Amino acid sequence: MSESSTSRRPLARHGQQASPSFVGQLLKIVGIFAVVVLVSGFAVGGYVLLGLTSTVQANAVELEGQKALPPDIGAYEGGFNLLLTGVDTCEAKYAHLFGKRCDGREGDSTLNDVNLLVHVSAEPRRVTAVSFPRDMMIPIPSCTDESGRVSSAMSKQPLNSAWEYGGLSCVAKTISELTGEDIQFAASVTFGGVIEITNAIGGVEVCLANPIKDKYTGLDMAAGKHTVVGLEALQFLRTRHGVGDGSDLGRIGNQQQYMSSLARKMMSSETLGNIPVMLKLADTAVRNLKTSTTLADPMKLVQIGLALKDVPLNDIVFVQYPTAEDPDNPNKVVPEYDSAEQMWAAISANKQLEITHKNTKNEGVVVEDAPKATTPPATADPGATAAPDVAQLPSSVKGNSAAQQTCSNGNVRR
């Protein structure tokens, strides 16, 4: 395994790092919907959009190896991909909220702890958000950071070290090489960004099947439904010890519960019909994001928003990239390539995805109202397992649709 040409070696043990919010995924969609409402719905466009665009452009970065994109997303064969990354960094403004976890953080120790590839299919539009575990051991390609420093390719490193070798661009390059998917757009958000964006939307309702008490994040919540805002929302999204078996994989399921609830709120008239909320949300989102230059084009944001705005909730699906235990380190995982290949084939087929995985007591969430499995008509081939417009995912692929209600499988043992 070759070493980086820089001196940084950000290896991290499984479960010891705090993960930022998975709100990164839908927070970009938050900004997108906001722009759509402002520009196409209420014609406040020019003035507000100019301010938002200049802020986005000031923070934009080039994606290494980015292919030229057609001006209209309708011309993207097979749809398009948007990478959303949550970064673990101690910002001075918010460090006091995290106590000892921000003590002793030296230099640029930012880690891409949350990595989500959002695939938006061609017509009919469907959205699949694939979560990649931060401790998955994979090859990291050679990357060039914003100062021009080049790192060597590495054969096996944790995914969450990619940011250290080249920022958002290196994360995109790493995920692209792992999946074989072109990534047209990318964005990242920090801990502070999560807090501000959750405040702007007025909180998100979450459900706890069991109480959560996690001394590492400070989260202490009773069973039942809660609306989490600001710091508490971040604590909920960061908690690992408080859900399931205490693993990072369990945390992903918990984060997906939050994202499903956020999607439902964003698609409701409560949010889209409230102009002051949308204005605040749009401004807050763009001020707390780092994006690729491809997302700095206001009209491209409008196109993406229009492509997403009518997607039904049962066609917005959150899945985990399938993994197996790393034979070299039980605290890490490695890709389960066969299941991943089947998953990508199902996504590429642009059919409604059916989750076949059955949650256990070790999962981060329990399913409260799982939709009924799609069954073939009586005249269909007896050997068929799903209707023609449904693609069943391998049982090793965990997840849920935004139409499903899941609840955190909390514990108080840790």
Side-chain angles (χ1 to χ4, degrees):
M1 178 166 54
S2 58
E3 301 294 333
S4 167
S5 62
T6 71
S7 61
R8 297 170 293 177
R9 299 181 61 187
L11 297 183
R13 288 191 58 79
H14 180 72
Q16 292 181 341
Q17 299 160 173
S19 172
S21 164
F22 228 59
V23 75
Q25 185 266 6
L26 273 145
L27 90 78
K28 178 70 286 180
I29 296 178
V30 163
I32 290 166
F33 277 125
V35 172
V36 171
V37 170
L38 293 173
V39 177
S40 62
F42 300 94
V44 236
Y47 156 78
V48 174
L49 190 58
L50 178 62
L52 298 181
T53 303
S54 62
T55 302
V56 172
Q57 290 174 338
N59 295 321
V61 298
E62 293 281 350
L63 295 183
E64 190 174 353
Q66 175 74 67
K67 297 179 180 178
L69 300 179
D72 190 332
I73 63 170
Y76 296 0
E77 186 175 352
F80 58 90
N81 292 306
L82 170 62
L83 173 71
L84 295 143
T85 297
V87 292
D88 174 0
T89 187
C90 284
E91 305 157 277
K93 181 178 178 181
Y94 305 97
H96 68 283
L97 298 175
F98 305 108
K100 293 182 178 179
R101 76 161 300 279
C102 283
D103 293 345
R105 294 285 287 268
E106 298 178 359
D108 181 13
S109 56
T110 300
L111 300 168
N112 51 295
D113 267 1
V114 173
N115 304 277
L116 192 79
L117 188 61
V118 182
H119 177 78
V120 181
S121 72
E123 298 289 350
R125 297 291 188 188
R126 292 185 168 97
V127 178
T128 308
V130 182
S131 302
F132 297 83
R134 63 180 188 169
D135 290 329
M136 184 165 61
M137 301 298 287
I138 58 173
I140 303 289
S142 172
C143 293
T144 304
D145 67 16
E146 292 184 51
S147 66
R149 291 178 295 182
V150 179
S151 65
S152 299
M154 290 161 282
S155 62
K156 191 177 182 182
Q157 291 282 289
L159 171 58
N160 72 342
S161 68
W163 186 281
E164 290 287 281
Y165 300 110
L168 181 60
S169 177
C170 192
V171 180
K173 189 175 182 181
T174 300
I175 296 290
S176 181
E177 293 199 3
L178 171 68
T179 62
E181 294 283 313
D182 290 332
I183 296 177
Q184 291 83 11
F185 311 103
S188 66
V189 65
T190 64
F191 279 3
V194 170
I195 290 172
E196 299 300 337
I197 291 165
T198 310
N199 285 340
I201 199 174
V204 173
E205 184 177 86
V206 296
C207 170
L208 276 65
N210 308 298
I212 292 177
K213 189 169 185 178
D214 181 359
K215 66 180 181 181
Y216 296 94
T217 62
L219 186 65
D220 189 349
M221 298 178 71
K225 293 185 178 180
H226 305 262
T227 297
V228 292
V229 182
L231 177 60
E232 187 177 40
L234 182 61
Q235 291 171 323
F236 179 84
L237 289 158
R238 286 179 54 217
T239 188
R240 174 176 71 80
H241 296 277
V243 292
D245 62 0
S247 73
D248 190 56
L249 301 182
R251 168 164 44 195
I252 289 176
N254 194 53
Q255 292 168 336
Q256 288 176 335
Q257 184 223 151
Y258 180 98
M259 289 189 294
S260 296
S261 181
L262 176 58
R264 292 191 291 270
K265 183 167 186 176
M266 284 304 306
M267 302 285 276
S268 71
S269 59
E270 174 188 353
T271 301
L272 291 180
N274 190 323
I275 305 308
V277 168
M278 293 305 292
L279 282 166
K280 182 178 180 181
L281 195 52
D283 182 69
T284 303
V286 299
R287 294 183 190 282
N288 285 279
L289 291 171
K290 178 184 284 290
T291 75
S292 61
T293 53
T294 49
L295 273 179
D297 174 1
M299 293 315 298
K300 193 63 61 69
L301 286 173
V302 171
Q303 288 180 12
I304 293 172
L306 291 172
L308 293 172
K309 71 182 182 69
D310 293 324
V311 177
L313 291 174
N314 62 352
D315 279 330
I316 301 175
V317 180
F318 304 96
V319 296
Q320 287 190 41
Y321 186 93
T323 59
E325 184 178 298
D326 184 353
D328 300 323
N329 185 345
N331 290 318
K332 305 290 184 182
V333 294
V334 294
E336 212 284 278
Y337 290 108
D338 288 344
S339 294
E341 185 175 348
Q342 295 177 57
M343 180 186 72
W344 290 118
I347 293 171
S348 297
N350 195 19
K351 295 182 179 181
Q352 189 174 84
L353 300 181
E354 181 179 324
I355 304 294
T356 64
H357 175 80
K358 304 299 182 183
N359 284 18
T360 70
K361 63 181 181 181
N362 291 326
E363 310 283 355
V365 294
V366 296
V367 180
E368 291 292 290
D369 58 352
K372 295 180 180 179
T374 304
T375 55
T379 56
D381 179 352
T385 57
D389 61 342
V390 172
Q392 290 185 330
L393 297 178
S395 61
S396 57
V397 178
K398 305 174 184 179
N400 61 272
S401 77
Q404 286 180 270
Q405 174 66 63
T406 60
C407 292
S408 301
N409 185 20
N411 68 60
V412 294
R413 302 184 305 271
R414 300 173 186 277

